[in-house]
């Protein structure tokens, strides 16, 4: 796969020099210093690496950076603005939904994607 020289992350075009076959997770963490997304299973199942791509919840550990031309990537780092947490982050904090905290960014990003697509999900939609 060809090298990727630019990636739109958190509303900014970021210059990179990455083999298109690399995972988005490795580029975010190792090249761009965005460490909020975590490596969990490496198979796209656990969700610790979840980011939003064009608003859709996506596992960055199995997404190749070469497939992202013209797409918008948003990480957990993009949610808080002006030192104000995103409402989903606030809810996680208020409810003590942190456990060890390792996979929390992925859970927050999944919740944000769900709520953006459906402002009033039912229990079934939340569980899937």
């Amino acid at each position: 796969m060809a090298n990727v020289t630019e990636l739109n992350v958190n509303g900014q075009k970021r210059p990179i020099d990455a083999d298109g076959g690399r995972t988005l997770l490795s580029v975010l963490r190792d090249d761009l210093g965005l460490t909020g997304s975590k490596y969990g299973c490496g198979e796209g199942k656990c969700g610790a690496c979840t980011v939003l791509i064009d608003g859709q919840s996506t596992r960055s550990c199995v997404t190749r950076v070469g497939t992202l031309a013209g797409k918008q990537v948003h990480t957990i780092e993009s949610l808080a603005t002006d030192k104000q947490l995103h409402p989903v982050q606030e809810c996680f904090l208020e409810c003590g939904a942190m456990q060890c905290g390792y996979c929390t960014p992925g859970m927050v990003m999944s919740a944000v994607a769900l709520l953006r697509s459906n402002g009033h999900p039912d229990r079934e939609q939340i569980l899937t």
Side-chain angles (χ1 to χ4, degrees):
M1 208 174 254
N3 264 21
V4 176
T5 58
E6 184 177 84
L7 194 60
N8 193 326
V9 179
N10 299 336
Q12 295 182 321
K13 290 185 179 181
R14 303 284 301 267
I16 60 171
D17 183 19
D19 180 278
R22 283 182 56 202
T23 66
L24 174 58
L25 180 62
S26 72
V27 171
L28 291 172
R29 292 182 61 80
D30 301 335
D31 298 8
L32 298 178
L34 298 170
T35 58
S37 302
K38 307 297 187 208
Y39 180 88
C41 67
E43 298 176 353
K45 295 182 180 182
C46 76
C49 66
T50 302
V51 298
L52 304 183
I53 298 178
D54 289 343
Q56 298 295 311
S57 174
T58 306
R59 307 297 200 248
S60 64
C61 74
V62 293
T63 301
R64 302 294 166 205
V65 74
T67 66
L68 299 174
K71 298 188 178 191
Q72 302 280 328
V73 177
H74 284 273
T75 68
I76 190 79
E77 289 90 350
S78 72
L79 292 186
T81 56
D82 298 323
K83 299 183 182 181
Q84 179 69 37
L85 292 177
H86 185 277
V88 172
Q89 290 172 306
E90 286 285 351
C91 287
F92 269 63
L93 188 59
E94 289 171 16
C95 294
M98 299 302 171
Q99 299 172 17
C100 77
Y102 191 80
C103 60
T104 303
M107 289 189 283
V108 168
M109 295 305 284
S110 293
V112 167
L114 173 62
L115 292 171
R116 286 182 180 171
S117 68
N118 179 354
H120 300 286
D122 62 28
R123 181 172 176 76
E124 181 72 22
Q125 293 164 322
I126 292 168
L127 292 174
T128 58

